[in-house]
Amino acid sequence: CQSALARCAILVDSIENSEHDYFGQDEARKKNHKRLLRIAYELREITLACFSGRIEVFRTSLQSEAFEELQMSLEQPGSGDRRGSVSKETIVRTFLLSGWIPDRVAGFMSKICSPRGEEALSELEQEAAMIGTDFDHALDSSFNVYCEDQRKWAETDAVRDVEYDGDLRFKQLSTKHKTAIAETKTALSLRATNALNRWHAVERSTIDLWNSEQCHWVLPATTDRLNRRILLTRNFEYNDHAKASYELMLGLERERANREREERREKKARAKELWDVVKRNSNAFSPQDSSDLDTAMGDESLPPEELLSVEDQHETSEAGSKSSDDMMSQDSVDGIELVEEAKADEDGWAKMFIWSDTETVVARFDKVMMVTLQAITEGKILLTTHGLYFRQTGNVINVMTKETDQKEKQGDYHDQRWRLSRLTEVHGRRFMLRAQAIELFFSDSHELFLNFSDGARDRDRFYAKIRNSCQVPMLWSPKSLNPRVVFKKSKLSNLWKKGIISNFEYLMQINKMAGRTFNDITQYPVFPWVLADYTSESIDLSDSRVYRDLTKPVGALNESRLAGLIERYNDLVAFGFSEKEKFLYGSHYSSPGVVLHYLIRQEPFTTMAIELQSGRFDCPDRLFFDIAGCWRSCNTSTSDVKELVPELFTCPEVFVNTNGFPLGQTQDERSIENVALPPWAKGSAHEFVRIHRLALESDYVSEHLNHWIDLVFGYKQRGAEAEAAHNVFHYLSYEGAVDLDKITDEVDRNATESHIQNFGQTPSQLLTKEAHPSKYPGHARWSPLIHNEEVTEHLRYHTPSNQVGGKKKGTVKGAAVSIHVLSDFVIVVYANMSVGTYKFSTSRSGSKSPFSFKLDKHKGFCRKELSSSRNAIKRGSAAPSEMESNKSHLSVGSHSFGITIGGEARESIRRKAQQSRLTSAKDSLSTAELHASIVSCGYWDDTVKVHSVDGLKLTCSDTGGHRGPVRCLALGDDGALMVTGGNDATCRVWVVDHPDMAVALSDGYVKTALGEALDREKQLICCHILWGHVAPITCVSLSSDLDVVVSGSLDGAVCVHTVRRGTYVRTIRPLNRTNAINAARKITLHGTGDFCVAMEDHTLHSYTVNDVHLASTDAGEALNDMLITSFGSVLVTGGELGWIVCRSVRDLLVLSVLDLSRQGPIRCLSTTPDDLNPTPQYLFVGSDDGTVTIVDEDPQSAERSETVDFNGRN
């Protein structure tokens, strides 16, 4: 108080007497002056209270002078009577001016305190300290006792159990909560994704149908029924790869290199400068220290340019340590598996799909990889009785870069489902040379490649569950997954030897059984080089000299090169190679690099090739730009022994840079946009593929193809036979050569895996001991009637007698509008809706007639008055005037009828024939044809009707959803698929008498959810609606093998759709000579991908399904029917002039003409189906007078020319 009062006295004096203005305003000064006096007064009151209570202490501790001054100041007037007349301010001022309050506090106590006072104050201080200490001890002791009791209690087992239970329950609730949140987020994400995908699908199906913007195309991810990829699909993620140009990337790399070089130069300069500083600082040390420094640095001291890097490493090390410490400081909590609660929600993600009412879980597989051409996805599988569900649980690995795909973030799950009702085939597969993978094939053309990381046991269990516990009505593949067993049981060799299946189809089937697949680029299907002449102006496919020697591998075709390779092979032992490791060819005939080399011009292979080259195209000189140069390299280079890929026989687009990718120029400034083709191809990729495919099916290749099969798939693949045939490749390319699981060294394992992935894998060996059988000679094999263009000049025709039609003796009034050939009968439908059945058989040698054609029965359709045919309407009935002409859309014709034995029966016969379970395919067909049905349209009730051939009873009638008349129909070769075209500008895809396929192709789950189930008893089930036209449909054509339907409309547009998936592909508008509406009159599609369309103005056009215009011409007549022959080279037409005209599909030039004009206009054409071989093929012609004419090859004509020139014209 004394010190505080002294400071108050000084402040009061300063405020009242100093010239300095502390406050700036008078009011502030007065306010603070009063506040200071009030504080001093309160301090005086405290001092007075202490003095009154402890007066003896003050008297003892203070000197007498100080005590008196204090007493006097406190006893000033008014001090005892606070309510007196003296003001507080006067009292304070008097007190502050007293002698007891000095000007300086420091040293005052020493002047006024006696020794006894100092002792008293010290004792008082010690006593206060002891009291405080005792008080603190009293408080702490009781608290410490409490804490000790709590500690002992907490260490008991009961408390620990409670803590553990609480911690466990907390973690359980936390995990459950996190799982629930994650599942909710996943469910919402999946729903959003599905909704977005559906929206895009709807948008494409409604807007893109008429979108005239330029589109870009990609090779499809799926194949057709013959395992081909012909039809290009829309590329919605097109990238022009402009930044991947070799020249551009080379310039950018040069700039980057210069920039890095400049940075290194600057870094070196800074390091040298730092080194000079260190040297200068070292001179400041003592001589001994300098010597020690030099000794310490010595000869091994770092050069200047490395000083900075050392500092960088130090900083990095510190940062790394800090990061490690941070990681170690984190609590490591082990995850707790909630088994009881997890089982309930374990399959919740799969329940996001619509399940069948009876669908149940069969098995779960947690370590599975889904392998596609571009990526490998880690995930798990849920197998149910009706479906296969896949969920991504790990990373998506890019096949080329081996890096995680940044587009597919882990945790952003992509759930997928495949319906097992669509499953048709299952084949065992290898992955990284380990037989632990499987590939599934579905009826909608999709394929699924799965690798089971836990080994072959999981794969075999998966397949067993599918066969024994799942509903797979369409599955027909063998029970074994062993390629050799599958090949042996298939008996496809017998079909091939007889010519029932083509060389291409047989090679594709062998590739499939040997483990080759389109889903794994390391095991892509392999095809042989078949031609050796790529320089001639024309090529003669009957000359054996134009073919490659199929008895030798590519590496052994050049004797001089082979000699050098053999010498190196014999010297490998001296370089440390064991007998097992010796190889003749260091490269392989099939590898990812080979596939990308050939297919670089089409996506997705363009992107994959860029990824393989670290983000750019390879040097133009190394790309595939010249087929002759490629063949030359395969014959001369010691490191180039590659074979071909299937697309070089089916897809002309792989030779053309249709997407305009920047492939660059060679060093001699040669453009490599398109592949340079042989002169005999006349600059046309389509022509090259056509001749290339004909060469593959030629007699020479057919007779020698078995030798090539022995080299690649057969007994010459490995062992002594392979060595004798000079067919030895690197040992890591063979199955079973190495067990990756036994390689413990990480470096060796990675090197082995890299070699397997990048340098080729040899297919599974199908034949180990015996040689592959050869194909039967040409005269002993079945071949179609028009197997080459030259045959058309030797055609003849026969008009059998005793027909119900004809001008003279005929009893039928009306044309023969549709003809259908069965194994023992020919069914003829006439314009008056009656049906004539004729027994047909080939005659024995020596007979005057090559066949027998006799009427069996003749009967009319029931309710034929519903037909729109003018000849079927009763006399006197009213009918539209346009019905009088067969050009009317109301008239019936070949487009109005089809015949089938039923899809299920046809599929059963095909399967049994491939498995060699039939003694005779023809006998089986004859039995099935007893229950054949005629499908027809063109009725006033707008329906499609089915009548039995035996009795013509109506068995089914359905509109299929068409609104208005059904104008045309087409049946597929498989007998199961049918497409109809209606006046409502839509086409409908139907399944005929095959309920399992109907369920597979239609969205059965959605229909079940809507309360509508498929009626399996119905003969006709509509599965898809095909959109794209804006005018009534006038003609349709369907190829089951190609899985494509083309349809023409009244406005001349031609739309291309897939059949099994019902998706729109493109619209093609044939050339129009005038601006007038030019309707498509007739259309025919072949399995090679070519189609011809006849227009109302008599023009004829030839196109491919990929919108490549081949040719156009004036037919000179209205064409009523046309077809493309078996090998796809010749178009046969018939029209109002009554002529059978044979034309080349590629240029529409006339090859030959048969005049049948005396029988009137030609109304329909038909040939003996290919699957009826070895029955000879005939061409059946229906004329306007009801006559049926049969065309065959004249055996008495001039000897067939030995030279077949595929370029010249007479």
Side-chain angles (χ1 to χ4, degrees):
C1 288
Q2 190 181 34
S3 176
L5 285 168
R7 286 180 170 81
C8 288
I10 296 171
L11 288 174
V12 170
D13 181 66
S14 298
I15 293 173
E16 293 178 347
N17 302 319
S18 175
E19 295 180 357
H20 181 72
D21 188 2
Y22 291 98
F23 303 100
Q25 295 182 0
D26 187 56
E27 292 182 1
R29 184 184 63 79
K30 291 180 179 181
K31 181 178 179 181
N32 287 282
H33 181 261
K34 291 180 180 180
R35 182 182 298 171
L36 188 60
L37 291 176
R38 185 167 61 251
I39 292 172
Y41 182 79
E42 290 178 357
L43 290 173
R44 179 184 176 279
E45 291 294 311
I46 294 173
T47 305
L48 179 61
C50 292
F51 183 80
S52 301
R54 296 290 188 270
I55 188 170
E56 293 300 327
V57 174
F58 278 86
R59 190 189 303 277
T60 306
S61 60
L62 297 177
Q63 291 182 356
S64 57
E65 298 174 359
F67 179 78
E68 291 175 357
E69 290 183 2
L70 176 60
Q71 186 176 19
M72 184 182 300
S73 63
L74 292 175
E75 292 177 355
Q76 293 293 331
S79 62
D81 186 5
R82 296 183 179 180
R83 293 174 295 180
S85 58
V86 181
S87 65
K88 292 181 180 181
E89 182 177 351
T90 303
I91 295 172
V92 171
R93 287 181 177 279
T94 303
F95 183 68
L96 291 176
L97 295 175
S98 64
W100 187 76
I101 301 177
D103 293 339
R104 291 173 178 256
V105 179
F108 180 75
M109 293 295 295
S110 62
K111 294 180 180 181
I112 64 175
C113 291
S114 64
R116 174 62 184 145
E118 293 180 0
E119 183 179 354
L121 290 175
S122 177
E123 292 176 356
L124 191 63
E125 182 181 3
Q126 292 177 2
E127 182 180 359
M130 293 178 60
I131 293 173
T133 302
D134 293 341
F135 179 75
D136 291 340
H137 180 70
L139 290 178
D140 292 344
S141 61
S142 60
F143 181 74
N144 290 336
V145 171
Y146 172 78
C147 290
E148 181 66 19
D149 293 341
Q150 291 296 317
R151 185 186 63 78
K152 293 180 179 180
W153 175 76
E155 291 179 354
T156 60
D157 293 339
V159 175
R160 290 179 177 176
D161 292 342
V162 171
E163 290 179 346
Y164 178 79
D165 292 341
D167 185 54
L168 179 63
R169 187 57 184 166
F170 173 78
K171 291 180 179 179
Q172 289 177 345
L173 292 175
S174 176
T175 304
K176 183 178 180 181
H177 179 66
K178 291 179 180 179
T179 303
I181 292 177
E183 291 291 341
T184 302
K185 289 182 178 179
T186 302
L188 293 176
S189 176
L190 181 62
R191 289 180 178 179
T193 302
N194 291 339
L196 186 62
N197 291 338
R198 285 179 177 268
W199 169 251
H200 288 327
V202 171
E203 184 180 31
R204 287 196 294 267
S205 62
T206 54
I207 299 177
D208 290 345
L209 297 180
W210 298 279
N211 189 354
S212 59
E213 296 180 0
Q214 182 181 2
C215 300
H216 297 278
W217 306 92
V218 59
L219 282 173
T222 59
T223 61
D224 60 23
R225 201 171 67 151
L226 299 182
N227 302 292
R228 302 170 301 177
R229 296 197 294 183
I230 295 178
L231 179 67
L232 301 183
T233 58
R234 182 84 172 270
N235 185 2
F236 293 100
E237 298 180 358
Y238 170 72
N239 184 349
D240 60 6
H241 297 299
K243 296 182 179 180
S245 168
Y246 179 78
E247 289 80 5
L248 177 62
M249 291 298 295
L250 197 62
L252 294 177
E253 289 179 0
R254 188 180 298 110
E255 292 178 2
R256 183 166 57 251
N258 292 336
R259 187 167 56 252
E260 292 176 354
R261 188 182 303 109
E262 188 65 26
E263 291 175 355
R264 287 195 300 270
R265 187 181 297 111
E266 293 176 357
K267 187 175 181 180
K268 187 175 182 179
R270 292 197 305 271
K272 188 176 185 304
E273 183 179 352
L274 179 60
W275 178 262
D276 294 339
V277 172
V278 173
K279 280 292 188 180
R280 286 196 301 270
N281 291 338
S282 66
N283 295 332
F285 298 150
S286 63
Q288 182 179 359
D289 293 339
S290 178
S291 175
D292 293 342
L293 177 64
D294 294 338
T295 303
M297 299 179 66
D299 296 334
E300 298 179 358
S301 60
L302 294 175
E305 58 270 18
E306 295 189 11
L307 286 178
L308 291 180
S309 63
V310 171
E311 294 178 0
D312 295 340
Q313 292 176 6
H314 179 67
E315 293 177 1
T316 304
S317 178
E318 290 181 352
S321 300
K322 181 178 179 180
S323 177
S324 178
D325 293 339
D326 292 342
M327 294 178 62
M328 293 298 295
S329 65
Q330 297 177 357
D331 294 334
S332 177
V333 181
D334 295 334
I336 300 175
E337 185 178 2
L338 308 177
V339 179
E340 296 298 329
E341 297 182 6
K343 284 186 177 179
D345 299 328
E346 184 177 7
D347 305 326
W349 60 273
K351 294 295 179 67
M352 297 303 299
F353 296 91
I354 300 176
W355 282 34
S356 174
D357 294 337
T358 59
E359 188 169 1
T360 58
V361 175
V362 174
R364 300 176 182 87
F365 301 86
D366 294 331
K367 294 183 180 180
V368 183
M369 291 191 296
M370 181 173 64
V371 182
T372 61
L373 187 66
Q374 293 181 272
I376 299 174
T377 306
E378 301 171 352
K380 63 180 180 180
I381 278 181
L382 174 67
L383 181 64
T384 69
T385 53
H386 291 70
L388 174 64
Y389 300 82
F390 178 85
R391 157 159 280 201
Q392 175 191 340
T393 59
N395 294 324
V396 178
I397 308 299
N398 187 291
V399 171
M400 291 290 98
T401 64
K402 307 300 185 294
E403 298 176 354
T404 301
D405 194 338
Q406 297 299 325
K407 296 180 181 178
E408 307 288 348
K409 296 181 180 179
Q410 184 174 356
D412 185 13
Y413 299 124
H414 297 273
D415 302 336
Q416 300 182 59
R417 176 185 68 179
W418 293 265
R419 281 185 265 165
L420 296 180
S421 60
R422 298 175 175 175
L423 184 64
T424 57
E425 292 183 66
V426 178
H427 288 274
R429 290 289 181 260
R430 302 176 311 182
F431 186 74
M432 298 293 292
L433 293 181
R434 290 179 288 192
Q436 60 184 34
I438 198 169
E439 189 168 21
L440 292 80
F441 297 84
F442 298 88
S443 60
D444 60 352
S445 302
H446 281 98
E447 302 164 3
L448 177 62
F449 189 113
L450 298 174
N451 175 55
F452 292 82
S453 302
D454 285 341
R457 181 175 297 180
D458 257 13
R459 180 202 59 177
D460 296 341
R461 185 169 70 91
F462 172 80
Y463 185 44
K465 291 290 185 181
I466 285 182
R467 294 194 68 93
N468 301 326
S469 304
C470 300
Q471 297 185 14
V472 284
M474 299 185 70
L475 179 63
W476 63 278
S477 56
K479 295 181 179 179
S480 176
L481 295 178
N482 187 309
R484 295 175 190 169
V485 176
V486 173
F487 176 74
K488 185 177 181 180
K489 289 185 176 182
S490 70
K491 302 300 181 182
L492 281 172
S493 300
N494 293 331
L495 301 180
W496 172 72
K497 288 190 298 182
K498 298 175 182 178
I500 296 176
I501 62 176
S502 65
N503 293 343
F504 181 91
E505 185 177 356
Y506 185 54
L507 285 175
M508 283 304 309
Q509 290 293 337
I510 285 183
N511 271 279
K512 179 190 288 189
M513 289 184 286
R516 312 304 281 189
T517 170
F518 289 106
N519 286 311
D520 185 0
I521 196 170
T522 67
Q523 302 183 87
Y524 207 79
V526 55
F527 267 60
W529 287 92
V530 293
L531 290 174
D533 183 1
Y534 297 96
T535 58
S536 300
E537 291 294 329
S538 62
I539 188 168
D540 179 6
L541 294 184
S542 63
D543 187 353
S544 62
R545 293 173 297 179
V546 304
Y547 294 97
R548 164 255 180 111
D549 186 354
L550 291 169
T551 64
K552 299 178 182 179
V554 171
L557 294 176
N558 187 326
E559 294 294 338
S560 60
R561 178 183 62 173
L562 178 62
L565 292 173
I566 293 175
E567 182 179 357
R568 186 187 66 178
Y569 175 78
N570 295 327
D571 293 340
L572 286 179
V573 176
F575 290 97
F577 287 84
S578 64
E579 288 295 330
K580 173 186 175 182
E581 297 173 342
K582 290 172 59 179
F583 58 87
L584 196 59
Y585 313 110
S587 60
H588 204 265
Y589 50 77
S590 178
S591 66
V594 170
V595 177
L596 299 179
H597 180 74
Y598 287 125
L599 305 180
I600 191 172
R601 286 170 177 78
Q602 293 297 329
E603 292 283 18
F605 300 97
T606 309
T607 298
M608 297 175 71
I610 293 173
E611 291 171 344
L612 183 64
Q613 296 295 330
S614 302
R616 69 174 186 184
F617 285 103
D618 197 3
C619 174
D621 293 85
R622 290 195 293 265
L623 297 181
F624 176 49
F625 63 89
D626 185 355
I627 187 71
C630 184
W631 169 248
R632 186 164 52 253
S633 174
C634 291
N635 277 270
T636 57
S637 174
T638 58
S639 60
D640 189 357
V641 293
K642 58 179 175 286
E643 294 279 7
L644 301 181
V645 292
E647 284 79 3
L648 271 61
F649 295 89
T650 60
C651 188
E653 285 73 18
V654 300
F655 298 96
V656 184
N657 188 9
T658 56
N659 292 298
F661 296 131
L663 301 180
Q665 294 181 337
T666 60
Q667 293 181 6
D668 57 359
E669 298 184 354
R670 177 181 178 182
S671 175
I672 63 170
E673 288 297 304
N674 302 325
V675 177
L677 300 173
W680 45 259
K682 306 304 180 186
S684 169
H686 184 275
E687 180 68 1
F688 174 82
V689 169
R690 184 187 72 84
I691 297 178
H692 205 205
R693 177 65 184 274
L694 289 175
L696 179 65
E697 305 296 338
S698 65
D699 289 341
Y700 177 87
V701 174
S702 297
E703 294 169 3
H704 296 84
L705 187 59
N706 59 298
H707 300 297
W708 185 84
I709 294 175
D710 286 334
L711 293 170
V712 178
F713 304 100
Y715 78 109
K716 292 184 179 181
Q717 182 194 101
R718 308 180 70 171
E721 293 291 343
E723 187 173 357
H726 307 301
N727 193 38
V728 182
F729 295 87
H730 196 282
Y731 78 101
L732 286 179
S733 70
Y734 294 100
E735 182 178 9
V738 63
D739 188 350
L740 291 173
D741 296 328
K742 293 183 179 180
I743 302 178
T744 57
D745 186 86
E746 190 69 20
V747 176
D748 291 344
R749 182 185 178 92
N750 291 337
T752 303
E753 289 182 349
S754 178
H755 191 284
I756 294 172
Q757 290 175 338
N758 298 303
F759 293 96
Q761 301 178 29
T762 303
S764 296
Q765 192 174 16
L766 301 180
L767 296 168
T768 57
K769 297 181 180 180
E770 69 279 4
H772 189 283
S774 60
K775 202 170 188 178
Y776 293 156
H779 62 83
R781 300 193 307 266
W782 179 88
S783 62
L785 171 63
I786 305 177
H787 49 272
N788 60 51
E789 296 178 357
E790 190 184 57
V791 174
T792 59
E793 301 176 1
H794 310 300
L795 297 179
R796 62 178 182 175
Y797 65 89
H798 310 268
T799 304
S801 57
N802 300 323
Q803 300 186 42
V804 295
K807 294 181 179 179
K808 297 182 178 180
K809 300 181 180 180
T811 58
V812 173
K813 293 184 178 181
V817 295
S818 184
I819 300 176
H820 308 279
V821 183
L822 303 178
S823 57
D824 297 319
F825 294 92
V826 175
I827 308 298
V828 182
V829 181
Y830 297 96
N832 66 347
M833 297 301 289
S834 64
V835 177
T837 303
Y838 296 86
K839 290 184 177 181
F840 179 79
S841 62
T842 56
S843 302
R844 298 178 181 177
S845 59
S847 176
K848 295 182 179 180
S849 177
F851 51 80
S852 172
F853 189 82
K854 295 181 180 180
L855 177 67
D856 180 54
K857 53 187 174 182
H858 177 236
K859 189 176 182 180
F861 282 102
C862 62
R863 304 296 303 276
K864 65 180 181 179
E865 64 274 7
L866 292 176
S867 173
S868 60
S869 173
R870 184 69 181 86
N871 298 85
I873 297 178
K874 294 182 179 179
R875 183 177 299 178
S877 300
S881 58
E882 57 262 22
M883 286 182 57
E884 299 297 332
S885 171
N886 60 16
K887 297 181 181 180
S888 168
H889 67 273
L890 298 175
S891 65
V892 297
S894 59
H895 58 273
S896 305
F897 300 92
I899 193 167
T900 178
I901 62 174
E904 195 167 23
R906 176 74 69 178
E907 182 70 14
S908 176
I909 293 173
R910 185 178 70 87
R911 293 178 181 180
K912 292 178 180 179
Q914 291 190 10
Q915 296 174 357
S916 190
R917 290 160 55 187
L918 290 178
T919 56
S920 172
K922 183 176 179 180
D923 292 342
S924 182
L925 269 174
S926 299
T927 304
E929 286 168 357
L930 297 175
H931 306 285
S933 301
I934 298 176
V935 187
S936 57
C937 66
Y939 296 95
W940 293 114
D941 59 354
D942 304 335
T943 60
V944 177
K945 299 183 185 295
V946 181
H947 295 82
S948 63
V949 171
D950 185 17
L952 296 181
K953 297 179 181 179
L954 180 65
T955 58
C956 182
S957 180
D958 199 336
T959 65
H962 276 294
R963 298 184 179 183
V966 181
R967 306 179 63 155
C968 51
L969 63 81
L971 273 165
D973 297 334
D974 60 355
L977 295 174
M978 178 180 70
V979 177
T980 58
N983 217 45
D984 56 358
T986 66
C987 293
R988 314 265 167 160
V989 177
W990 306 67
V991 174
V992 183
D993 202 12
H994 199 329
D996 291 333
M997 180 173 286
V999 172
L1001 297 188
S1002 61
D1003 200 348
Y1005 287 86
V1006 174
K1007 289 188 176 182
T1008 301
L1010 297 177
E1012 179 185 350
L1014 289 175
D1015 185 359
R1016 298 178 63 89
E1017 300 299 324
K1018 291 181 63 175
Q1019 278 186 287
L1020 296 177
I1021 299 176
C1022 183
C1023 297
H1024 300 304
I1025 303 175
L1026 308 182
W1027 306 90
H1029 288 284
V1030 294
I1033 310 299
T1034 55
C1035 52
V1036 294
S1037 184
L1038 165 66
S1039 173
S1040 299
D1041 290 342
L1042 191 59
D1043 190 32
V1044 169
V1045 57
V1046 291
S1047 54
S1049 60
L1050 202 60
D1051 63 352
V1054 175
C1055 286
V1056 181
H1057 294 81
T1058 62
V1059 181
R1060 289 174 174 81
R1061 282 166 289 154
T1063 56
Y1064 168 84
V1065 179
R1066 67 170 82 230
T1067 297
I1068 301 173
R1069 298 190 178 275
L1071 301 176
N1072 192 351
R1073 295 181 298 184
T1074 64
N1075 294 327
I1077 295 178
N1078 190 19
R1081 180 177 176 88
K1082 295 295 295 184
I1083 195 168
T1084 180
L1085 171 68
H1086 192 263
T1088 57
D1090 300 336
F1091 72 88
C1092 295
V1093 55
M1095 311 302 289
E1096 199 65 51
D1097 64 352
H1098 301 176
T1099 57
L1100 184 62
H1101 306 277
S1102 177
Y1103 280 85
T1104 73
V1105 290
N1106 292 323
D1107 196 11
V1108 176
H1109 179 237
L1110 301 179
S1112 295
T1113 190
D1114 188 346
E1117 62 175 332
L1119 299 179
N1120 295 323
D1121 203 2
M1122 57 185 183
L1123 56 86
I1124 300 177
T1125 57
S1126 299
F1127 281 176
S1129 297
V1130 178
L1131 172 69
V1132 182
T1133 63
E1136 293 299 313
L1137 295 179
W1139 294 348
I1140 299 294
V1141 182
C1142 295
R1143 301 174 182 267
S1144 171
V1145 172
R1146 68 182 185 275
D1147 52 21
L1148 296 180
L1149 294 179
V1150 176
L1151 301 175
S1152 66
V1153 176
L1154 286 178
D1155 187 0
L1156 303 180
S1157 58
R1158 66 178 181 177
Q1159 297 164 2
I1162 294 173
R1163 299 292 300 277
C1164 62
L1165 300 170
S1166 182
T1167 59
T1168 307
D1170 293 353
D1171 54 9
L1172 289 184
N1173 62 70
T1175 300
Q1177 190 175 60
Y1178 295 91
L1179 173 64
F1180 296 82
V1181 183
S1183 299
D1184 197 60
D1185 65 350
T1187 301
V1188 176
T1189 303
I1190 303 175
V1191 179
D1192 68 346
E1193 183 180 5
D1194 185 4
Q1196 303 299 326
S1197 64
E1199 289 292 331
R1200 188 176 303 175
S1201 175
E1202 295 296 331
T1203 300
V1204 184
D1205 190 341
F1206 287 85
N1207 301 103
R1209 284 287 185 272
N1210 294 331

